[in-house]
Amino acid sequence: MKTTEILLLLLCLNVVCFSALPSAPATCPADLGSECSGSGSDEWEGEFFPGIPKIKYEGPSSKNHLAFKWYNSEEVILGKKMKDWLRFSVAFWHTFRGSGADPFGAPTKFWPWEDGTNSLAMAKRRMRANFEFLEKLGVEWWCFHDKDISPDGKTLEENNANLDEVVALAKELQGSKIRLLWGTAQLFSHPRYMHGAATSSEVGVYAYAAAQVKKAMEVTHYLGGENYVFWGGREGYQTLLNTDMERELNHLARFLEAAVAYKKKIGFNGTLLIEPKPQEPTKHQYDWDAATSANFLRKYGLTGEFKLNIECNHATLSGHSCHHELETARINGLLGNIDANTGDPQIGWDTDQFLTDIGEATLVMLSVVRNGGLAPGGFNFDAKLRRESIDVEDLFIAHISGMDTLARGLRNVAKLIEDGSLSELVHKRYESFDTEIGALIEAGKADFELLEKKALEWGEPEVASGKQELAEMIFQSAL
Ligand code: XLS
Ligand code: NI
Ligand code: NI
């Protein structure tokens, strides 16, 4: 394998894939600095998406693939506008830096506005394309990683100066209509982060990561971001033989405490989020799933300062369903944001596909409605086109389909609530606790002596049917 191919493979193991084949005519990878620099102009003649109209709601009978069938932003469902329940956001990294490369293949997407460089001028042109895309799609939020919006320079100072320049343009383009859902620092693809960032065994890397996060928090704040996300990428290890897990977790907790202190210092009121993800591609991790992450936060006294960003594909990878992860986060008071995507149960990696399963979307929306919504979080489309989808309009089709799927999920939840039979079934299941003794148990006032007395008095208990198939039948009828 040529060095470049090995590099491509390594970068792609993370499957946020920053492709790096020299022959690729366009879509230059993020985070490769001078290896992929170039000069050019940020100017672009005319529209980036000519021929794509402003996407409108046309209703379920529409056959227009560039229209919404279920998402009607201003329509009120369950007391809130659809756009306020859903708070959709476009992920810059997938939509504008996704190249279609995977561990076995080269980039496939060569967007017309790309000039094959990772220059500052190209970063600005791409940013203009992002805002035209948001405007035409009718999405009011966006999310970014520092490294995918601006190229690295030769030093930390140069990186920061580049980021400042691109962010100034983004601020101008946001205007009063578009807002930032969250920002994050990409602390995984550069070789310096091979042992992790805040969990690296190298103090120099720990400090560098802190400087990078500090800057990313500053620009997130400057752009009016509502949240800031921490996502490991390389936090974890394959073996416990050569590592000191306890020491690393302590380093990480101290890092997060420093982030909380800095957030307060700069007056950033956004929510700090941790995004659970197993197989990063390591296996011993503090953030394997929602429950593991919640336990980490609790042990280090961070639960008041952090919430979770639940990603459906990561749920699949941890052996759970998205609904399970959302409910675990919700009942722990930690549901902050959703990375709206889905995995493939057979493929087994972070394929980050757009969610199109109506049943799954309905379960997702059930948790969101129970949570009273997600604000200040939202639904970030941490999702990309398949490798084989290479037309510019595919970017629109994918987002429209993902938005319609979740909108349909919301409509289904409204139907289930209106119908009432599912909640009645659940209520009935616990009816035996709606009694004097049940109330004592739930209030923590029933000791073992009392319970033994009751057991002797009642004899062998009667056990009712679980009615699982009935629950599934009622659920299906709402889809
Ligand atoms: C990758 C992660 C990443 C985060 C943001 O798997 O989902 O994209 O959402 O860093
Ligand atoms: Ni994500
Ligand atoms: Ni992911």
Side-chain angles (χ1 to χ4, degrees):
M1 254 198 266
K2 284 188 290 185
T3 330
T4 43
E5 283 168 349
I6 295 170
L7 183 63
L8 172 73
L9 185 72
L10 290 177
L11 295 174
C12 285
L13 278 177
N14 222 286
V15 191
V16 183
C17 274
F18 298 93
S19 55
L21 281 191
S23 54
T27 317
C28 209
D31 210 21
L32 281 184
S34 54
E35 282 181 52
C36 197
S37 62
S39 54
S41 157
D42 65 320
E43 276 163 29
W44 182 254
E45 210 46 43
E47 295 184 15
F48 290 94
F49 305 99
I52 306 274
K54 169 109 188 148
I55 311 300
K56 294 202 189 73
Y57 172 70
E58 291 185 2
S61 60
S62 169
K63 294 268 180 281
N64 179 1
H65 61 261
L66 291 175
F68 296 117
K69 295 24 167 228
W70 305 93
Y71 178 62
N72 188 12
S73 60
E74 296 292 318
E75 187 179 330
V76 174
I77 308 254
L78 296 172
K80 245 195 262 247
K81 285 183 182 174
M82 289 187 105
K83 68 173 194 180
D84 295 331
W85 277 118
L86 294 161
R87 292 167 62 90
F88 288 128
S89 161
V90 167
F92 192 93
W93 54 96
H94 284 310
T95 304
F96 291 96
R97 304 313 303 275
S99 67
D102 72 13
F104 303 98
T108 56
K109 298 178 213 317
F110 307 116
W111 306 129
W113 54 86
E114 291 287 334
D115 67 4
T117 73
N118 195 20
S119 67
L120 203 49
M122 189 55 241
K124 291 190 194 165
R125 189 196 291 174
R126 210 180 273 128
M127 191 55 81
R128 293 185 196 283
N130 174 47
F131 281 91
E132 188 183 312
F133 183 76
L134 289 162
E135 163 69 28
K136 288 197 162 174
L137 190 61
V139 163
E140 291 175 7
W141 304 88
W142 69 296
C143 290
F144 70 87
H145 292 162
D146 52 357
K147 299 298 164 201
D148 55 54
I149 58 169
S150 109
D152 266 355
K154 289 190 181 60
T155 60
L156 185 57
E157 289 90 334
E158 274 183 36
N159 298 353
N160 290 350
N162 288 352
L163 189 58
D164 281 336
E165 215 171 309
V166 179
V167 162
L169 174 67
K171 173 114 175 156
E172 185 191 316
L173 295 171
Q174 277 189 170
S176 55
K177 272 175 50 200
I178 309 278
R179 285 175 290 166
L180 179 68
L181 188 64
W182 49 262
T184 186
Q186 199 261 63
L187 304 167
F188 55 87
S189 79
H190 193 282
R192 82 172 72 85
Y193 294 124
M194 68 182 181
H195 302 309
T199 59
S200 174
S201 42
E202 303 291 339
V203 75
V205 173
Y206 187 96
Y208 198 103
Q212 199 184 320
V213 168
K214 174 178 175 288
K215 183 69 187 173
M217 287 176 81
E218 286 164 9
V219 298
T220 299
H221 180 41
Y222 172 73
L223 288 170
E226 304 249 333
N227 305 270
Y228 181 87
V229 167
F230 289 87
W231 173 63
R234 294 274 167 194
E235 313 289 341
Y237 4 82
Q238 304 299 14
T239 161
L240 299 178
L241 292 173
N242 64 340
T243 53
D244 184 339
M245 194 188 226
E246 199 174 1
R247 197 164 178 189
E248 287 193 14
L249 289 177
N250 181 48
H251 293 173
L252 176 63
R254 302 284 94 94
F255 190 97
L256 296 174
E257 273 169 15
V260 171
Y262 194 63
K263 161 187 155 162
K264 292 181 179 156
K265 183 158 188 192
I266 61 175
F268 173 52
N269 294 323
T271 307
L272 300 180
L273 298 160
I274 290 191
E275 182 175 330
K277 176 182 180 183
Q279 303 164 14
E280 287 189 337
T282 50
K283 64 184 180 187
H284 300 287
Q285 291 172 230
Y286 73 96
D287 59 347
W288 184 268
D289 61 1
T292 316
S293 306
N295 186 55
F296 166 80
L297 291 174
R298 201 162 281 133
K299 172 171 163 60
Y300 292 97
L302 293 164
T303 29
E305 304 289 356
F306 286 83
K307 287 197 168 179
L308 299 179
N309 178 28
I310 300 296
E311 176 167 326
C312 293
N313 197 161
H314 297 177
T316 315
L317 293 175
S318 65
H320 301 302
S321 67
C322 193
H323 190 49
H324 166 97
E325 287 294 86
L326 291 172
E327 288 296 279
T328 303
R330 186 182 69 77
I331 64 176
N332 280 287
L334 293 173
L335 179 54
N337 190 83
I338 296 179
D339 265 6
N341 64 12
T342 192
D344 185 301
Q346 278 95 47
I347 289 180
W349 74 25
D350 200 10
T351 51
D352 288 341
Q353 292 162 212
F354 282 84
L355 177 63
T356 52
D357 182 318
I358 313 295
E360 190 174 353
T362 306
L363 289 169
V364 166
M365 291 313 300
L366 206 55
S367 291
V368 171
V369 169
R370 284 179 183 156
N371 201 55
L374 290 169
F379 277 99
N380 168 48
F381 282 112
D382 193 0
K384 61 185 169 206
L385 294 181
R386 310 300 221 291
R387 186 162 185 267
E388 308 90 311
S389 303
I390 57 170
D391 292 343
V392 168
E393 74 157 11
D394 293 333
L395 289 171
F396 282 88
I397 293 170
H399 281 86
I400 292 168
S401 167
M403 290 163 79
D404 265 344
T405 303
L406 285 159
R408 206 165 161 182
L410 175 61
R411 291 179 186 278
N412 292 345
V413 172
K415 274 195 246 169
L416 284 169
I417 291 176
E418 200 183 314
D419 168 74
S421 23
L422 193 58
S423 56
E424 199 185 307
L425 192 75
V426 176
H427 182 80
K428 218 163 172 279
R429 184 180 172 107
Y430 300 95
E431 226 167 29
S432 68
F433 278 83
D434 297 332
T435 51
E436 201 182 325
I437 183 78
L440 287 176
I441 292 172
E442 289 182 351
K445 289 186 181 139
D447 59 24
F448 273 6
E449 278 99 342
L450 171 68
L451 292 168
E452 184 192 44
K453 198 170 141 244
K454 284 288 169 193
L456 290 168
E457 183 186 319
W458 289 334
E460 187 57 34
E462 271 176 38
V463 179
S465 165
K467 293 278 177 237
Q468 190 166 320
E469 294 76 8
L470 178 59
E472 285 157 358
M473 183 188 274
I474 297 170
F475 180 77
Q476 289 292 117
S477 69
L479 303 189

